[in-house]
Amino acid sequence: MMRVLLRWSRLCCGGGGRGPLGRRLRLLWSYWRVVLKSLYFNSLCNSDSMLDAVFEPIYWLVDNLTRWFGVVFVCLVVALTCSVVVIVYLCVLPVILNTYPLHRVLGHLCYGHWNLIMVAFHYYKATSTSPGHPPQERRDMPTVTMCKKCIVPKPARTHHCSICNRCILKMDHHCPWLNNCVGHFNHRYFFCFCLYMTLGCVYCSISSMDMFIEAYNAVESYRSLDLQLPGDKVTGAGLLYSLLPPGYMQSSYQTAAPQYTFRERLFHKSIIYLWVLTSSVALALSALTLWHSILILRGETSVERHINRKEAQRIKQQGKVFRNPYHFGRVSNFKVLFGVEKRSHWVTRVLLPSSHPPHGDGLTWDAPRHRTDPMAI
C-alpha cells in the first residue's frame, strides 16, 4: 500500500507536464495490478492459500507463544516430577519400610528407582537431542520437494516446523513439554519418556491408593471439626446446675483437643496431592502413549497420519489400495524405532538407558519387503 501511494504521488505531482490525466491513471492501474499479482506464488493459488495469508498473523502469534512458553512447560514438568519424588521419599517410602514384608520392600525399591532413572534419562535426552535437520550444503541427497519457507530441498518424511523455523527429519510434532521437535533422532526418547512416565504414574497411584483413602477421610474429619463452633452448650441439665460450684456456669462451653497435628495434616494433604496428580497424569499420558503406539504400529508419524489419510481417499477413488511405503510390519516397526537388531537389545536398548543412534540417517529410507519401488509421501 505504501508503494501504491508513493506511485500515485509521483504520477500526480511529479509528472504534471508529461501527459494527460488519463494516461497517469492507466499507469497507476497497471502498477496496481502488478502489485496484486505479485502476492501470488503461481497460478495454482486457491482459497486455502488466501486463508493462510489472512491467518498468518495468528499463526505467528501462536508459534511465538509456544516457543517462549516451552521453557515454562519444561520447568513445570521438572518441578512436578521433583515434588512427586520428594513426597514419595518422605511420606510413602517410610510407610512401606515399616509395614511391608522384606520381599515387597525390595520390589518397591528396585522398580521405583529403575522407573525414576528411565524417566529422567529419556526426558533429558528428548529435550537435549536435536531431532535432525536436512543438510544445507548437500545437493546429491534424494529429495521429494522444496520447502517454501527454507527454500531448500526436503528429503522424504521431512516437514517444516514453524515454531523451530527449520525443517525436521521425520517430523512427528513439536512438543511444548519438551520445548523441542520430535523427529528422527529423538523420537525413541520421546516415546520411551511417555511410556515410562505413564508406568511411573500408574505405579504411584496404585501404591498410594490405601493411603489416599485414609488421608481423604482424615481431611474430611478435621475439616468438619474446623467448621464447628468452639464448643457445644450444655442444656437440659435441670437441677444439676445447682450442684456445681459458683462461677462454673461461665464455662459452659468445652473445646476438644485437636486430633491431628500440623505435621499430620501436611502429610495427609501431600498424599492427596500425590494421588490426584499421578492419577490425572496417568490418564492423560496413557492416551497419548496409546495414540503414538498405534502410529508406530502403522509405520507413520502424526504428520504422515493426515497425509496418508488424504492419499488413501484419493487412491480409493481410482479403484486402488493405498500402501504405506514405510510400514515394515507391526513388530518390525518397533524394532526400527528402538534400534533392536538382536534379542539382547530388548534389554540393553529398551529396558536399560541407552543413547544409541536410530536406524538410518533420516535422509533415505529402506523399502519394506513387499515393495521394491519406495514411494515418497
Side-chain angles (χ1 to χ4, degrees):
M1 294 300 297
M2 295 297 296
R3 291 180 179 179
V4 173
L5 293 177
L6 181 60
R7 184 66 175 173
W8 172 268
S9 62
R10 288 179 179 178
L11 291 175
C12 295
C13 301
R18 289 184 293 176
L21 181 62
R23 183 171 177 273
R24 302 176 201 166
L25 294 177
R26 286 195 300 270
L27 290 175
L28 180 62
W29 173 245
S30 300
Y31 185 77
W32 175 255
R33 292 179 59 185
V34 172
V35 171
L36 286 180
K37 290 183 178 180
S38 65
L39 298 177
Y40 298 91
F41 287 101
N42 48 46
S43 60
L44 300 178
C45 185
N46 51 21
S47 59
D48 294 336
S49 302
M50 298 297 295
L51 289 177
D52 290 340
V54 171
F55 285 98
E56 188 66 27
I58 300 178
Y59 299 151
W60 177 87
L61 179 62
V62 172
D63 293 343
N64 282 270
L65 288 178
T66 305
R67 185 183 299 114
W68 286 106
F69 276 99
V71 180
V72 179
F73 289 155
V74 170
C75 296
L76 184 61
V77 171
V78 174
L80 293 178
T81 305
C82 291
S83 66
V84 170
V85 173
V86 169
I87 292 175
V88 169
Y89 272 105
L90 297 181
C91 300
V92 179
L93 190 58
V95 176
I96 292 177
L97 295 176
N98 295 327
T99 58
Y100 286 11
L102 180 60
H103 65 279
R104 293 189 62 183
V105 171
L106 293 177
H108 280 284
L109 290 176
C110 294
Y111 177 81
H113 287 88
W114 169 79
N115 202 338
L116 177 61
I117 292 174
M118 298 298 287
V119 168
F121 172 80
H122 287 100
Y123 186 72
Y124 170 76
K125 296 295 290 185
T127 54
S128 60
T129 303
S130 174
H133 311 285
Q136 302 289 332
E137 66 278 359
R138 287 185 56 183
R139 293 295 181 266
D140 57 341
M141 61 181 180
T143 59
V144 295
T145 183
M146 290 287 295
C147 179
K148 295 186 297 183
K149 301 296 182 66
C150 300
I151 317 298
V152 295
K154 287 199 307 183
R157 312 187 79 177
T158 300
H159 302 279
H160 185 87
C161 177
S162 58
I163 299 176
C164 298
N165 199 22
R166 295 192 66 180
C167 287
I168 308 298
L169 298 176
K170 190 194 169 188
M171 179 180 175
D172 189 273
H173 68 288
H174 184 93
C175 182
W177 301 103
L178 301 179
N179 195 27
N180 195 7
C181 265
V182 177
H184 177 64
F185 290 98
N186 64 345
H187 191 189
R188 176 176 66 90
Y189 298 130
F190 165 76
F191 179 77
C192 289
F193 165 72
C194 294
L195 177 63
Y196 290 119
M197 179 63 82
T198 302
L199 294 178
C201 291
V202 172
Y203 165 73
C204 292
S205 179
I206 295 176
S207 301
S208 61
M209 173 66 74
D210 297 334
M211 300 175 62
F212 165 74
I213 296 176
E214 295 178 1
Y216 182 80
N217 294 332
V219 169
E220 288 296 324
S221 64
Y222 62 69
R223 181 176 296 177
S224 61
L225 290 176
D226 293 340
L227 295 177
Q228 292 179 1
L229 294 175
D232 297 330
K233 188 174 181 179
V234 180
T235 57
L239 298 177
L240 191 61
Y241 286 113
S242 60
L243 301 177
L244 298 177
Y248 192 82
M249 290 294 296
Q250 297 178 359
S251 61
S252 59
Y253 290 89
Q254 295 181 358
T255 302
Q259 296 183 0
Y260 301 100
T261 62
F262 172 78
R263 185 175 181 179
E264 291 174 340
R265 294 191 177 196
L266 182 61
F267 174 84
H268 295 152
K269 294 180 180 180
S270 299
I271 294 297
I272 294 176
Y273 165 80
L274 171 68
W275 189 86
V276 172
L277 178 61
T278 54
S279 300
S280 57
V281 172
L283 289 176
L285 205 55
S286 60
L288 179 64
T289 306
L290 179 62
W291 167 248
H292 281 278
S293 300
I294 295 174
L295 292 177
I296 295 172
L297 288 173
R298 296 174 177 175
E300 56 189 10
T301 62
S302 300
V303 178
E304 293 171 352
R305 172 62 177 168
H306 302 286
I307 299 176
N308 293 349
R309 182 183 301 176
K310 294 182 179 179
E311 188 69 12
Q313 294 176 356
R314 184 184 68 84
I315 294 181
K316 185 178 180 180
Q317 296 176 356
Q318 301 176 0
K320 301 179 181 179
V321 178
F322 173 77
R323 179 172 289 176
N324 184 9
Y326 308 112
H327 180 46
F328 299 91
R330 296 181 178 180
V331 179
S332 298
N333 289 335
F334 276 98
K335 288 183 178 180
V336 172
L337 176 68
F338 291 133
V340 175
E341 299 175 358
K342 52 185 179 179
R343 291 186 178 180
S344 61
H345 287 170
W346 288 106
V347 178
T348 59
R349 294 188 173 185
V350 179
L351 299 181
L352 293 177
S354 177
S355 58
H356 64 278
H359 177 75
D361 57 359
L363 301 176
T364 58
W365 300 91
D366 298 332
R369 295 180 180 179
H370 60 264
R371 291 192 62 93
T372 57
D373 52 342
M375 177 180 59
I377 58 174

